[in-house]
Amino acid sequence: MRKRVLSVRSYRPHELLCAAVLVVVCCGSRLYGLSPFGTPMFLALAPFVFIGFTAPIYIACSFLFTFELWRLYLSGAVVLIAAIRWFVGLHVPRFDREIAKILFSVGAIAIESALAALFRPVVEAVLSGALSLVFYYFARYVAVNVGRRFSFRLSVIECGGVCVTLFVAGLTFARATVSSFEIGLALAFFCALFMCVIGSKAALGGGISIGLGLAVGSNLNIAIAYVGGVAVACAFRSLPRVMMTLIGVGVFSALSVVFGVTAVQIGWNALMVTASGLLFCILPRRAVKAVCDYFDFDGASRLAVRHYINRTRLDAGNKMLLLSSVFDETARLMSAFGTVEPDGDALGAAICDKFCPYCPHLNMCDEGKRTAAFKSIAECAYAGKSVIAELPEFFTTDCLKTADIIAMSVTITDSARERQVRQESDRKAREAVVERLVAVKDVLWELGTSEAAPVGFDREEENRIKSALFGYGIECAEVFATGEKITAVVRSAAADADKLTRALKGFCVDTLDKSSASGWSIAELKRKAPFEAVYARAGVSKSGGVSGDSYAFRKIGDKFLVALADGMGYGVGAAADSAAAIELIECFYRAGFKSDSALSGVNKFLKVGGESFSAADVAVCDLQTGRVDIYKIGAPACYIKTHDTVLNIEGKSLPIGMLDEMRPFSTSKMLRPGQMLIIVSDGVSDCFSGDALPEYINNITVHNPKTAAESILSRALALVGNTPRDDMTVIAFRLYET
């Protein structure tokens, strides 16, 4: 047998407050002389709210709103039935089921109607009971929401129950008068203003419901003026509270005049409405925001979506981190693999076993000298060294098989040298693979850390984007704004990339997933970079055929990659070397590798491929900030041309693929709009002597990269009699503000 103990501490204060207000309002309502709403509301709340709190309020209100003593008897009987059901439900589980609660409540309403027939006309008692049963149906849905603390989106039936309850509240407000003061009108307008800050649907639905109650219980003209004032205030709900209130009061007063309300009544009503508006305006912002957040069902759904997004990112990030650890462990294990050191004793014993068992002087040899001599020659042979140069004394004085042993040792030495070549090649290949594994590990770790971090949503940015889209005639259902990108859900009929770009200044459409079936489309937006790049290349080959210089201009996200590679020599071979370097550089940067890792990887792969050298200039420009990172690898100086000077950037380093470990020269500069980065191959720089090239660049007055590149190339060709001594290439690059 189960027992439960209920106490007031089991319920939150806003639940008890909401229940108390509902009981008071419903007990005060009156419809054509009938007061059938207090009992159903109390019975509906009894299973969800502490009965010891609501029962005294219900009994007191039943008497105070009518001052009829017999209502104390009726309300006491209803409370007794509810208490019996509650007490029996503690001991008998079947009486705590939903159907039992409904049956007890219906029985309480029937008993109340029967008792009311003793004091009032039978017809009136029957009508009151029937109306109570109808209202009880709607009151139950309101009570369920109170018990659940309004923690979910209301269904259609639940919204109907709220509207019916607000209609009953309107009946109560219509009765609340003191002399000529419409106290109830002030309360009704105060409720409407609060519903305006909660949401437009709540304001319109609640305002119309209360207005119907006012129309039935008081005056149709005042009710129409009230609904009109609420509707206009709702239309301007985005304005500050003071402005919204003044507009609502003004419209209410104007409509009262139009519908023929007397001047005196208009004045009193306007005074009451203004008083409620003043009370609403002086409420603390935190209190109003707390109410808005409490009833923000759309916000709850947005919170769930945002939580799901962050959870998905966290899972993806953790998987990337696990993959990163796998690559890290693989790289560590591959680095641990080394050349196995041979066992000199075992190798010496193996060679000895091939000759000594068949030697007739075996018993005459000193075993210690023989073992040491074979160990020494075995170690020398397996190390790839010359056996004759380091032949032990034992083989020159005591051994009769010296010639055969030397011949076999020479064969072992040759095999050892071939093995060393293979091992060296394997070592270099393994080092390249290990370095790539470490680089992939770093990229995965960075991506995993980034993905696992929770997304910060910018509510102000989301509201601004929504307003901008609505102002441009684009209906927007939802916007998610993070530091990385923005996702907007817009009507498919208005989903046009150009229109969205025009509506949102500073943003551009990245992707647009149009769906005509659901009526909504997903637009992925991104912030426009403040800078864009304009670039050009001019060049000639030495042979008149294929140039050995290769170049690349590539936009990768918000970065712009500029690269120029000069292969060793000229012609097809040099072109193949430089093209391979450029292609590898592009691939590494597109995959998200850092510059040092990318260039080191290119160097490793070119080194493994053989004698493939390339001088290179790599510049990576951030289009968000204008900062350009410059890497020079065995290339001549490059230049940044400003309005009145030229900045030389030069650094000493060997070409790509020459050494196992590459140490490029690197520097970072800020490239302002109008400034130009100029990169040349050595075929151009060798045409100028001293500071002639930077001086010529400084005298260029054009800002067009194509014109500047062609001018430098023409000047270089003129200095060598228009006969290229090497492949010649000039790259010019500058930023402009978008």
Side-chain angles (χ1 to χ4, degrees):
M1 185 179 297
R2 62 175 183 173
K3 294 184 179 181
R4 293 176 296 171
V5 179
L6 299 179
S7 67
V8 70
R9 290 175 298 183
S10 303
Y11 302 94
R12 294 183 180 180
H14 61 259
E15 285 181 69
L16 302 177
L17 178 62
C18 186
V21 170
L22 287 172
V23 170
V24 172
V25 168
C26 291
C27 286
S29 60
R30 194 174 185 87
L31 181 63
Y32 300 116
L34 304 177
S35 301
F37 302 108
T39 300
M41 182 55 71
F42 166 72
L43 292 172
L45 289 169
F48 303 104
V49 181
F50 180 49
I51 191 173
F53 177 80
T54 54
I57 298 174
Y58 164 62
I59 294 174
C61 290
S62 296
F63 173 72
L64 293 175
F65 276 107
T66 61
F67 291 103
E68 295 174 344
L69 188 61
W70 60 271
R71 291 193 179 274
L72 287 175
Y73 303 141
L74 270 63
S75 58
V78 171
V79 170
L80 180 62
I81 294 172
I84 291 173
R85 204 279 324 152
W86 171 75
F87 180 77
V88 174
L90 293 177
H91 301 278
V92 183
R94 70 179 63 181
F95 286 101
D96 199 41
R97 296 174 182 173
E98 189 68 21
I99 186 63
K101 296 175 183 177
I102 296 174
L103 291 176
F104 267 89
S105 298
V106 171
I109 293 174
I111 292 174
E112 183 190 41
S113 300
L115 293 176
L118 300 176
F119 304 97
R120 302 296 296 270
V122 176
V123 175
E124 186 177 322
V126 172
L127 288 176
S128 180
L131 195 58
S132 295
L133 289 175
V134 173
F135 183 67
Y136 174 72
Y137 172 80
F138 294 102
R140 282 186 62 249
Y141 289 104
V142 177
V144 168
N145 283 284
V146 174
R148 294 179 181 175
R149 299 159 188 171
F150 294 95
S151 58
F152 61 99
R153 188 186 295 270
L154 302 181
S155 66
V156 176
I157 300 178
E158 290 163 347
C159 287
V162 172
C163 290
V164 171
T165 305
L166 290 175
F167 167 76
V168 173
L171 295 175
T172 303
F173 296 151
R175 293 184 61 196
T177 59
V178 178
S179 185
S180 299
F181 293 96
E182 296 281 352
I183 304 296
L185 189 60
L187 296 174
F189 201 75
F190 182 81
C191 294
L193 291 175
F194 240 118
M195 287 186 289
C196 282
V197 298
I198 292 174
S200 57
K201 293 180 180 179
L204 290 176
I208 293 173
S209 300
I210 294 176
L212 290 174
L214 292 174
V216 174
S218 177
N219 188 302
L220 178 61
N221 294 334
I222 293 178
I224 295 176
Y226 168 80
V227 173
V230 173
V232 174
C234 178
F236 293 93
R237 58 186 294 268
S238 59
L239 296 177
R241 281 185 286 167
V242 176
M243 295 296 297
M244 181 184 70
T245 303
L246 290 176
I247 292 173
V249 172
V251 172
F252 170 78
S253 301
L255 290 177
S256 297
V257 174
V258 172
F259 287 106
V261 182
T262 63
V264 176
Q265 191 175 8
I266 290 174
W268 288 122
N269 291 344
L271 180 62
M272 290 296 98
V273 172
T274 304
S276 66
L278 178 62
L279 177 62
F280 173 72
C281 292
I282 64 177
L283 284 175
R285 291 180 179 270
R286 294 177 61 183
V288 177
K289 185 178 184 303
V291 173
C292 293
D293 293 341
Y294 186 74
F295 288 96
D296 185 12
F297 305 129
D298 292 332
S301 63
R302 287 194 298 270
L303 180 63
V305 173
R306 292 160 197 259
H307 175 76
Y308 174 76
I309 292 173
N310 280 329
R311 185 65 188 179
T312 303
R313 287 172 58 91
L314 177 63
D315 293 340
N318 288 335
K319 289 180 181 178
M320 290 182 185
L321 293 176
L322 290 175
L323 284 174
S324 173
S325 64
V326 171
F327 278 97
D328 186 32
E329 185 66 17
T330 304
R332 188 186 66 80
L333 291 175
M334 291 193 68
S335 299
F337 294 154
T339 304
V340 179
E341 294 295 333
D343 185 350
D345 293 331
L347 294 175
I351 297 175
C352 179
D353 289 342
K354 291 182 177 293
F355 297 99
C356 293
Y358 310 103
C359 180
H361 298 86
L362 176 63
N363 296 327
M364 300 173 60
C365 293
D366 187 330
E367 183 176 357
K369 289 184 177 180
R370 182 176 72 246
T371 302
F374 274 102
K375 176 181 178 182
S376 175
I377 199 172
E379 290 177 346
C380 185
Y382 271 87
K385 300 178 181 179
S386 174
V387 176
I388 297 178
E390 300 184 15
L391 192 66
E393 182 181 357
F394 172 80
F395 292 108
T396 59
T397 58
D398 301 333
C399 184
L400 301 179
K401 300 286 186 178
T402 301
D404 296 334
I405 293 173
I406 291 176
M408 182 178 180
S409 299
V410 170
T411 303
I412 295 175
T413 301
D414 293 340
S415 299
R417 289 173 178 172
E418 293 178 0
R419 185 177 64 255
Q420 288 176 349
V421 172
R422 291 194 303 270
Q423 288 177 347
E424 181 65 16
S425 177
D426 292 343
R427 183 188 64 80
K428 292 181 178 179
R430 187 169 59 251
E431 288 179 354
V433 173
V434 168
E435 185 171 349
R436 290 307 91 212
L437 289 174
V438 172
V440 171
K441 182 266 297 182
D442 292 338
V443 172
L444 286 174
W445 183 266
E446 184 175 350
L447 288 175
T449 304
S450 175
E451 285 294 315
V455 178
F457 293 94
D458 191 342
R459 294 294 298 272
E460 293 184 0
E461 183 78 334
E462 292 169 355
N463 293 333
R464 188 185 71 81
I465 291 175
K466 268 190 176 182
S467 300
L469 291 175
F470 279 121
Y472 217 79
I474 302 174
E475 186 177 355
C476 179
E478 187 58 276
V479 176
F480 295 104
T482 67
E484 300 175 356
K485 59 183 178 180
I486 295 173
T487 303
V489 183
V490 298
R491 282 288 184 190
S492 297
D496 180 77
D498 294 335
K499 193 174 182 180
L500 290 170
T501 303
R502 289 194 301 269
L504 300 173
K505 307 300 182 183
F507 294 91
C508 60
V509 178
D510 190 15
T511 59
L512 182 60
D513 182 14
K514 300 192 70 171
S515 173
S516 58
S518 61
W520 296 96
S521 297
I522 305 296
E524 293 284 349
L525 309 173
K526 65 178 182 180
R527 291 177 174 84
K528 291 181 180 177
F531 303 109
E532 282 295 341
V534 58
Y535 49 88
R537 173 260 181 189
V540 295
S541 64
K542 176 181 179 180
S543 61
V546 178
S547 174
D549 298 340
S550 297
Y551 63 94
F553 300 105
R554 189 73 62 192
K555 186 176 181 181
I556 305 172
D558 287 336
K559 297 183 183 296
F560 197 89
L561 171 68
V562 179
L564 173 62
D566 183 2
M568 183 177 60
Y570 63 93
V572 177
D577 293 342
S578 62
I582 289 293
E583 186 174 356
L584 283 172
I585 289 173
E586 282 191 52
C587 290
F588 279 114
Y589 273 103
R590 282 200 303 269
F593 288 89
K594 296 180 180 178
S595 296
D596 293 341
S597 178
L599 297 177
S600 177
V602 173
N603 183 75
K604 288 285 186 183
F605 280 113
L606 292 180
K607 182 66 178 175
V608 171
E611 299 296 324
S612 178
F613 308 146
S614 292
D617 274 306
V618 178
V620 182
C621 183
D622 190 338
L623 299 178
Q624 291 288 346
T625 62
R627 191 188 76 171
V628 57
D629 297 327
I630 301 173
Y631 300 87
K632 301 191 68 62
I633 311 149
C638 61
Y639 308 92
I640 294 180
K641 175 176 170 50
T642 64
H643 295 291
D644 54 0
T645 187
V646 171
L647 176 64
N648 289 28
I649 300 175
E650 55 184 342
K652 295 182 179 180
S653 62
L654 294 174
I656 298 177
M658 182 167 287
L659 297 178
D660 292 343
E661 298 295 332
M662 183 187 62
R663 297 179 178 85
F665 170 82
S666 63
T667 185
S668 294
K669 302 292 181 182
M670 292 300 297
L671 195 63
R672 305 297 181 185
Q675 299 179 351
M676 192 179 303
L677 174 64
I678 298 174
I679 302 174
V680 300
S681 63
D682 57 3
V684 174
S685 62
D686 291 345
C687 297
F688 295 85
S689 59
D691 295 330
L693 178 56
E695 290 176 358
Y696 181 80
I697 293 175
N698 191 37
N699 293 327
I700 295 177
T701 58
V702 296
H703 296 285
N704 188 320
K706 182 175 179 60
T707 305
E710 291 177 347
S711 176
I712 296 172
L713 180 63
S714 298
R715 179 60 179 169
L717 286 172
L719 292 175
V720 293
N722 291 323
T723 303
R725 299 174 182 174
D726 196 357
D727 296 322
M728 304 172 68
T729 301
V730 181
I731 284 178
F733 163 81
R734 74 176 181 86
L735 299 178
Y736 66 91
E737 293 181 333
T738 57

